[in-house]
Amino acid sequence: SLVARAVRAAWQERRHTRVMSSLAARYGAEVPRWFPRVGAVRALAEVARENVVEGCSREALGACVAGHQAARARDLAVRAAMAQIAEDEREHALLSWAVHDWVRARSDAATRGALDEALEASLIALLDDPVPAHDALGEPATAVRRAMVRGLREALAAQGWAS
């Protein structure tokens, strides 16, 4: 089930790249070409830590930000794109949490503690991440982004997942 969800998420990310590249070009940005690298198989603890930071934390915030943009962007094409991306990013965050739960069930106390610390550090880093808002694109101001992160932390704490 997790593998099938991961394959679906990979296809969604490819679609996000195409959609966002098209929008960026429409606004005059030059989009660099990117080619995925195939690397060595990594240790489960390393993959689990990356999953916590990128998936459980950043994908969840990405879903919030994309939803904000879908509701507030002036450009209707941006709104439509971000509505779909918000839904996909929510799925990706839920997948990351499912992977996190799978890893935790197979980990010792030290590994679980390290993952909890990585999650908390990632959420704190997001609070201090200065991202300029582009009002025309519906991007949230820094204060709104921080409120989103605080809301994520509170929701996770209520579920017993973060401090």
Side-chain angles (χ1 to χ4, degrees):
S1 161
L2 293 177
V3 172
R5 289 170 68 187
V7 169
R8 175 178 162 84
W11 282 108
Q12 290 169 334
E13 292 295 353
R14 286 181 184 96
R15 185 180 68 238
H16 298 177
T17 299
R18 285 191 309 274
V19 168
M20 296 308 293
S21 294
S22 175
L23 286 172
R26 181 173 156 188
Y27 278 90
E30 185 175 325
V31 180
R33 293 200 35 103
W34 178 81
F35 299 96
R37 296 177 315 208
V38 176
V41 174
R42 298 180 293 154
L44 180 59
E46 182 182 348
V47 173
R49 184 184 187 294
E50 182 177 333
N51 177 67
V52 162
V53 172
E54 294 297 327
C56 297
S57 179
R58 292 183 184 163
E59 291 276 356
L61 178 60
C64 295
V65 170
H68 190 275
Q69 289 182 264
R72 291 171 177 81
R74 291 185 206 144
D75 184 326
L76 295 181
V78 172
R79 280 185 177 221
M82 297 318 288
Q84 181 62 58
I85 288 172
E87 186 177 312
D88 293 348
E89 294 301 308
R90 180 182 171 277
E91 270 186 51
H92 301 172
L94 291 172
L95 170 59
S96 293
W97 279 101
V99 168
H100 181 64
D101 289 343
W102 184 88
V103 170
R104 285 182 66 85
R106 290 156 179 78
S107 299
D108 60 22
T111 301
R112 289 190 305 271
L115 291 174
D116 291 346
E117 288 174 14
L119 175 61
E120 182 64 12
S122 176
L123 291 167
I124 289 170
L126 289 175
L127 283 171
D128 296 329
D129 189 12
V131 177
H134 298 91
D135 192 50
L137 301 177
E139 294 174 330
T142 300
V144 174
R145 280 177 54 89
R146 286 182 178 147
M148 290 174 179
V149 174
R150 285 191 299 273
L152 286 171
R153 288 180 77 204
E154 289 168 10
L156 293 174
Q159 295 295 317
W161 281 323
S163 57

